[in-house]
Amino acid sequence: MKAVIMAGGKGTRLRPLTLKTPKPMVPLLNRPCMEYIIELLKRYDIHQIAVTVQYLPDVIRNYFGDGSDFGVQLQYFEEGTPLGTAGSIKNASSFLDETFIVISGDALTDFNLRQAIQYHKQKHALATMVLTQVHSPLDYGVVMTDEEGKVTRFLEKPSWSEVFSDTVNTGIYVLEPEILSWIPERESYDFSLQLFPALLREEKPLFGYVANGYWSDVGSLHQYRQTQFDMLDRKVEVRIPASEPMPGLFVEHGVRLPSRIRLSGPSYIGTGCTLHPSSAVGPYTILGSGNVIHPYSSLERTIVWDGSLIGSHCDIQDAIVLHRTLIGNDVHIQEGAVIGHGCVLGDKSHIRAQVKLWPDKKIQPHSTVHTSLIWSEEVPASLFGGKGIVGRPNGDITPEFVGKLAAAYGSVLPSDAAIVLGSGMHSFDTLLKSVFAAGLRSLGIHVIDIGVASMECTRFAVQTLKADGAVHVQLCVAGNDLKNEQVFIQWTDAQGMPMAKSLERKVENAYLQEDFARGATDRIGRWKGYDHAIPDYIEALRRAVDFELIQDACFSIIVQSSPSEASTTERFASMLGGTRVHTLSAQPNPAAIIEHVRNVQAQIGVMLNEDGTFQLVTDEGTIIHEDTLLPLIVLALAKSSINASVGVPVSAPITLEQVAVKSGIRIIRTKEPLRARMEATNGLPFSPFAHRLYAVSLIFQLMAAEQRSLRELVASMPSIHVAKEQVPCALHEKGGMMRELMEWVRRESVQAEFLDGVRIQSEEGWVLIQPDQDEPLFHIIAQADSSMKAQILAHEFAGKLTYTQPLIRK
C-alpha cells in the first residue's frame, strides 16, 4: 500500500506561524505535525510515501530527507504553481500504480486507516472519503451517504441553511489509480470542488466511511492551541516521546527542574530548556527545545517554540511565542497574542490581547502595543452574515476596520475596476463611506459616489453605470433606541445582486492575511460624484409600472420611511400624480403608521423598513402579514400579462403556485438568500423582493386595475395558515442536530426535500426546518389548511428537534 501526504499548503490563517514555516512543519508538542502523520502511516504498514510540496519545500525536505531516519521511504513531488488538491496528486501519478491513500500533512488524527482501506475494498469503490463528525461543519465539506455508504450529496463549505449533517470530509481518501484519469494534466483541480461532484454526476462508486477517533484540522490559531491541549489530555492516540515524572507533566531529556519551581500539569517541556528557581509553568504550557525562563516569570496556557529567552517577572497568558524571541524583564503578554520569529520585546513592555507581531519586530521598553504589527488581529470566523457585515458603530465597525475592509475588497477586484458607493444620510454613514472610498482608491480602484441613496437605488445604479460592484453603508436604529444602533455594510455585484459567497470568502481571506499591496501614488483610483442615481431609479420604476392607471384611481396613501430614504420616497410620491400621498420621514413604527392611516382615512399604508423589507396596512389599520404579502405580489405580476420566472424562497407559502396558475408567471423555489431568488428571477425589470418600491407599485397597479381595496384583495387570496417556532441551541450543536434529523427522515422513510434546510411533507401539511444563518437557533415553519394543524405541526417538529439536543450532548 502506498500513500500520498499533501504538504503544499501555505496555512495563511495560521499567520504569523507560517510566514517562515510551512503548515505541515508547525510543531505540535515540539514535533512537526507531519511527523505524526508519518507515524500513523507506519502503524498501518504503509512505508512508501509520496509527499507533494509547493510552499517552502526545502524546509520539509531538509527535516525528513528520504525518510530513512523515520522508517519510511519518501519521494517528493514539487509543484511549480499550485495545482489544487487533486492536481497535486496527478503530479505524483508516476508513483501511484496501486490502491493508495491520500492524507493531509497538516491535520492530526488517530483514525484506524486499515479499517478505512478494508471498507474501500469491500465496497469496490473508485474513491472512498474518510468522514468524521464535527460541531461546526461550516469550514468543511458536508457529506451525506445512503444506507450502503454511497455518497449522495456533497457540499463544500456550506452556509447554515445548507447544512444537512455534521458529517464532514476529513481530506483523507482511499483511491484507485484509475481516478487519475479523471484529473487533467498540469491544471489546478480540486477534489471537493471538481472531482467529487463529477463522480456524483456520473454515478461512479464514491463512498463515505465514517471513522471513529480523533481528527483536528490545524487550520486556525485557536485550533492549533486546542489540538495540543487535546494531546496533553490524551484525547488523541499519538506517541509522546518524553518521560512523565508526574501525571500530565511531560519532560524531554536534558531538562533541569529546580526544586523551587512551580509546575502544574498538563504541560510539556522540550529538551535543553532551562527553568530557573521561582519560575512557574502553569497548566497547558508547551515549551519547545532550548528555551530559558528566568526567575519569577509565569507562563500559563502558553506555547513557546524553540530557543527563546524570557526574562524575570514576566506574565504570559494564553499566548504563542515563536522561535528565537527575546523577552525582557517585567513583560506582560495577554490572551491570544502571537509573537513572531525573532522579535525583541523591551523591558516592561505590554502586549495587549489578540495582538500579533510579525517576525523580527522590536518593541521599545515601556511600550504598550494595542494593535498588531504589520497585520491586524484576527477577525471572527465569518465577517459576512446573511445581510452583509453588521455591527455596532465605533464598536465592531470603526473607520479603521472599514479602511482595511475596503482594501481587502479592492485586492480581489480586477485592476482598474469601478465601484459604486451609496450611503444613508447619517454623518457616520458618510464618514465610513469616505473611508471606504480611500481604501479602494489606495489600491487603484475607481469610485463612483452616488451620495445619499437607498440600497435599492445603489443596486440599480451599479447596473446603469456599468460598474463592477457596489457597496452601501447605513446606520440603522431599531425601535428608536440608540442602544440598538447597527451599521449595515452591504455589497452587490455588477448585476446588482448580493455578492457571491465565493467572493465573500476571498474578501475575508484578504482581510485576514492583509497582504494586499497598495498602488503607486501615480495610480491612485479616481473619485467621481454622480447626482442622478435617484432620478434614474424613479424613471426606471415609471417605465416598469402603469402609473397613469394608479393616478386615475386617486388613492389616499401613507408612506413611512427612514430619513435616509426620504428623498427617494418623496420622488416616488410625486410620480403618483393624482393620488393623495402623505410621506412620514421617521424611523418606521407600526403604531404610528396605523394611526396615520386611520386619521386621514387612507386606503393603504406603506412602511419601508430599514432592513430592506416593507409592510402594508389596510384601511382598517391591519398590518398585512408576509405570508399574505408574497401571494399578493405574485397575483399582481400574474394580472399584469408578464411572462417571467420569479424566484421565491422554499419557505414561501404553497399558495404562490395557485395564484400564478394559468398566467405567464412561473414560480421557482430557491434557497433563502436574496441572491438565489434574484438569480432565478428572469423577465422582470426588477426583482420584487430586492426592490420594495417596485413591489409596492405592482400592488397599487393591481388595486387600480381590479378596482378593489387592499383589504378586498387580501380577502380574495387562497387560504393558507402558517405557524412558526424557534428552537434555540448551542452553536456547536447545529450540525449534530441536523444529522439526527436526517437520520430520522431516512429511518422513517419520510418524504423530504433538502433545497434549503429540510422540508418535510406530511398528511397535515408541510414543515420546513432551517438553521439560522447567523444565530444559534433553528426556525420551524409549518403550513397547513387550518391554523390548528399548522400550530400542531410546528410544535411537533420543534419538539423533535429539541429532543435531539441531549443526544448530541452525549
Side-chain angles (χ1 to χ4, degrees):
M1 188 79 180
K2 292 182 178 180
V4 180
I5 296 178
M6 293 189 291
K10 290 185 177 181
T12 51
R13 289 186 298 151
L14 280 174
R15 291 181 176 181
L17 275 60
T18 52
L19 287 173
K20 295 186 176 182
T21 303
K23 190 179 174 187
M25 297 300 293
V26 168
L28 304 176
L29 299 191
N30 205 27
R31 291 197 294 161
C33 180
M34 184 172 145
E35 189 171 335
Y36 293 97
I37 297 302
I38 289 175
E39 289 189 350
L40 179 70
L41 293 171
K42 279 176 54 183
R43 187 185 309 167
Y44 295 104
D45 299 321
I46 301 172
H47 297 84
Q48 296 184 64
I49 303 170
V51 183
T52 65
V53 293
Q54 198 270 323
Y55 175 66
L56 300 177
D58 289 341
V59 177
I60 298 174
R61 283 197 190 95
N62 292 341
Y63 184 89
F64 289 106
D66 62 4
S68 57
D69 291 345
F70 299 87
V72 295
Q73 300 171 27
L74 298 182
Q75 187 171 335
Y76 298 92
F77 294 88
E78 184 172 349
E79 304 163 41
T81 58
L83 294 174
T85 52
S88 67
I89 302 304
K90 180 75 169 186
N91 194 45
S93 57
S94 61
F95 177 81
L96 302 172
D97 53 3
E98 60 182 68
T99 303
F100 61 96
I101 189 166
V102 174
I103 191 167
S104 297
D106 50 24
L108 184 70
T109 183
D110 59 8
F111 288 162
N112 188 317
L113 301 182
R114 183 174 293 113
Q115 292 178 357
I117 295 165
Q118 289 172 347
Y119 179 90
H120 171 84
K121 292 181 176 179
Q122 288 169 2
K123 296 294 183 180
H124 303 288
L126 175 62
T128 297
M129 306 166 66
V130 178
L131 312 176
T132 193
Q133 292 169 354
V134 297
H135 289 316
S136 179
L138 297 185
D139 292 329
Y140 308 103
V142 179
V143 182
M144 182 188 293
T145 59
D146 61 18
E147 293 179 355
E148 295 183 357
K150 195 168 185 179
V151 175
T152 57
R153 292 190 73 195
F154 178 82
L155 187 61
E156 182 69 5
K157 295 185 178 177
S159 63
W160 269 120
S161 66
E162 297 170 315
V163 169
F164 44 81
S165 175
D166 63 348
T167 304
V168 303
N169 175 18
T170 64
I172 303 173
Y173 313 123
V174 186
L175 305 173
E176 294 300 317
E178 297 94 293
I179 201 75
L180 299 170
S181 64
W182 288 74
I183 306 171
E185 293 273 3
R186 293 182 293 278
E187 289 184 21
S188 180
Y189 201 73
D190 191 85
F191 277 116
S192 300
L193 298 178
Q194 292 161 297
L195 179 58
F196 293 147
L199 296 179
L200 279 178
R201 285 194 301 271
E202 298 296 325
E203 299 184 353
K204 295 299 180 182
L206 172 63
F207 282 81
Y209 170 74
V210 181
N212 295 316
Y214 182 91
W215 177 78
S216 174
D217 173 22
V218 188
S220 67
L221 292 171
H222 166 76
Q223 197 60 35
Y224 174 68
R225 294 186 182 97
Q226 188 59 51
T227 299
Q228 294 183 81
F229 298 164
D230 291 344
M231 294 171 77
L232 291 176
D233 287 336
R234 294 293 198 175
K235 292 182 179 180
V236 52
E237 186 181 339
V238 293
R239 182 176 67 92
I240 300 179
S243 61
E244 194 173 0
M246 56 182 280
L249 175 63
F250 298 94
V251 182
E252 293 184 6
H253 64 87
V255 176
R256 293 184 299 167
L257 295 178
S259 58
R260 286 187 293 124
I261 189 174
R262 289 173 291 157
L263 291 172
S264 300
S267 55
Y268 191 96
I269 303 173
T271 183
C273 284
T274 300
L275 309 179
H276 286 272
S278 303
S279 61
V281 175
Y284 298 103
T285 293
I286 298 154
L287 302 180
S289 302
N291 294 296
V292 178
I293 315 296
H294 281 274
Y296 305 107
S297 285
S298 173
L299 288 76
E300 186 171 336
R301 297 179 66 86
T302 289
I303 299 166
V304 183
W305 289 12
D306 298 342
S308 291
L309 185 148
I310 298 172
S312 62
H313 295 91
C314 293
D315 182 25
I316 306 177
Q317 298 285 327
D318 201 15
I320 300 176
V321 179
L322 304 191
H323 296 310
R324 298 181 301 281
T325 294
L326 298 179
I327 299 176
N329 301 320
D330 293 298
V331 173
H332 294 264
I333 304 176
Q334 294 183 339
E335 294 82 356
V338 181
I339 312 302
H341 300 262
C343 287
V344 178
L345 277 56
D347 292 346
K348 297 187 178 180
S349 57
H350 195 155
I351 311 300
R352 296 289 192 186
Q354 304 302 326
V355 165
K356 297 172 184 62
L357 305 183
W358 254 231
D360 304 315
K361 299 295 176 287
K362 293 184 179 180
I363 307 302
Q364 297 299 318
H366 302 276
S367 298
T368 298
V369 183
H370 297 273
T371 58
S372 300
L373 304 177
I374 298 293
W375 280 264
S376 63
E377 63 183 293
E378 188 170 342
V379 296
S382 178
L383 278 176
F384 290 87
K387 295 181 180 179
I389 295 180
V390 183
R392 295 172 293 110
N394 273 337
D396 305 308
I397 297 184
T398 63
E400 295 85 356
F401 168 78
V402 168
K404 292 174 183 176
L405 183 65
Y409 177 43
S411 72
V412 303
L413 292 171
S415 59
D416 214 37
I419 298 299
V420 168
L421 296 183
S423 71
M425 67 179 300
H426 195 283
S427 57
F428 195 69
D429 298 340
T430 54
L431 169 65
L432 293 184
K433 182 174 64 175
S434 64
V435 173
F436 207 100
L440 288 175
R441 295 178 65 205
S442 71
L443 274 83
I445 305 300
H446 308 306
V447 168
I448 306 172
D449 188 344
I450 62 171
V452 175
S454 65
M455 181 60 206
E456 288 99 328
C457 225
T458 305
R459 197 185 299 283
F460 180 73
V462 71
Q463 295 174 276
T464 58
L465 297 172
K466 296 182 173 19
D468 297 279
V471 178
H472 186 266
V473 182
Q474 184 164 351
L475 176 69
C476 298
V477 182
N480 292 313
D481 184 355
L482 292 179
K483 294 179 182 178
N484 294 328
E485 285 184 328
Q486 285 190 312
V487 174
F488 287 76
I489 305 177
Q490 295 175 278
W491 273 258
T492 83
D493 62 13
Q495 286 74 46
M497 297 183 191
M499 190 162 67
K501 286 289 182 186
S502 57
L503 191 55
E504 285 183 358
R505 289 195 179 102
K506 287 182 180 179
V507 174
E508 287 186 357
N509 288 336
Y511 184 95
L512 283 169
Q513 299 167 26
E514 205 174 331
D515 54 3
F516 32 82
R518 309 284 180 175
T521 54
D522 60 347
R523 295 185 180 179
I524 298 299
R526 297 186 299 273
W527 180 95
K528 180 174 73 173
Y530 186 76
D531 299 329
H532 304 289
I534 295 175
D536 290 348
Y537 185 52
I538 296 300
E539 175 59 22
L541 282 173
R542 187 190 64 77
R543 294 193 300 268
V545 179
D546 189 349
F547 279 95
E548 290 185 3
L549 181 64
I550 298 171
Q551 292 166 7
D552 292 342
C554 296
F555 293 128
S556 176
I557 303 171
I558 303 291
V559 181
Q560 183 185 58
S561 65
S562 69
S564 292
E565 301 188 32
S567 178
T568 306
T569 304
E570 288 169 4
R571 285 179 178 269
F572 174 70
S574 67
M575 190 168 55
L576 297 174
T579 60
R580 291 184 295 123
V581 183
H582 305 263
T583 58
L584 307 175
S585 181
Q587 295 300 330
N589 183 295
I593 192 170
I594 289 172
E595 182 182 353
H596 276 80
V597 166
R598 288 172 173 167
N599 287 345
V600 304
Q601 297 182 325
Q603 289 158 289
I604 185 171
V606 180
M607 185 165 62
L608 303 174
N609 301 316
E610 287 189 309
D611 64 358
T613 63
F614 74 95
Q615 293 169 285
L616 299 182
V617 180
T618 69
D619 53 353
E620 292 182 326
T622 301
I623 294 181
I624 302 303
H625 194 272
E626 180 185 10
D627 300 318
T628 304
L629 194 58
L630 290 179
L632 197 60
I633 294 170
V634 171
L635 179 63
L637 288 168
K639 293 287 187 177
S640 62
S641 301
I642 296 175
N643 291 314
S645 59
V646 180
V648 301
V650 69
S651 60
I654 56 176
T655 53
L656 295 186
E657 284 81 0
Q658 294 175 248
V659 170
V661 72
K662 294 182 180 180
S663 76
I665 299 301
R666 186 164 63 98
I667 300 299
I668 300 176
R669 298 279 172 169
T670 74
K671 296 177 181 178
E672 194 72 29
L674 178 59
R675 182 180 178 88
R677 287 177 273 161
M678 292 183 72
E679 286 176 331
T681 299
N682 292 290
L684 296 178
F686 300 97
S687 165
F689 307 115
H691 295 272
R692 297 168 296 173
L693 293 182
Y694 176 59
V696 169
S697 301
L698 287 171
I699 294 171
F700 289 169
Q701 178 180 277
L702 177 65
M703 291 169 60
E706 298 284 309
Q707 296 184 357
R708 289 195 286 177
S709 68
L710 177 63
R711 174 162 42 94
E712 291 170 331
L713 287 173
V714 169
S716 72
M717 290 287 97
S719 177
I720 189 68
H721 296 271
V722 179
K724 298 180 181 180
E725 291 199 22
Q726 292 182 343
V727 177
C729 67
L731 193 61
H732 69 269
E733 292 175 342
K734 276 187 179 179
M737 291 169 72
M738 284 298 290
R739 171 175 48 81
E740 291 289 334
L741 179 65
M742 296 297 296
E743 290 179 359
W744 177 84
V745 166
R746 178 189 296 171
R747 191 168 57 247
E748 301 295 325
S749 300
V750 174
Q751 183 180 347
E753 299 174 0
F754 310 106
L755 177 62
D756 195 13
V758 181
R759 176 173 158 169
I760 297 170
Q761 186 70 46
S762 76
E763 293 180 358
E764 303 298 328
W766 65 257
V767 61
L768 177 67
I769 303 171
Q770 283 183 320
D772 189 271
Q773 288 282 78
D774 304 314
E775 301 298 324
L777 56 86
F778 281 79
H779 299 282
I780 314 295
I781 305 167
Q783 294 189 26
D785 57 13
S786 75
S787 177
M788 180 63 71
K789 288 179 181 179
Q791 290 176 19
I792 290 173
L793 263 180
H795 191 68
E796 175 189 350
F797 279 89
K800 287 185 187 298
L801 207 58
T802 302
Y803 175 72
T804 66
Q805 289 174 308
L807 299 177
I808 301 306
R809 289 166 188 160
K810 288 179 183 178

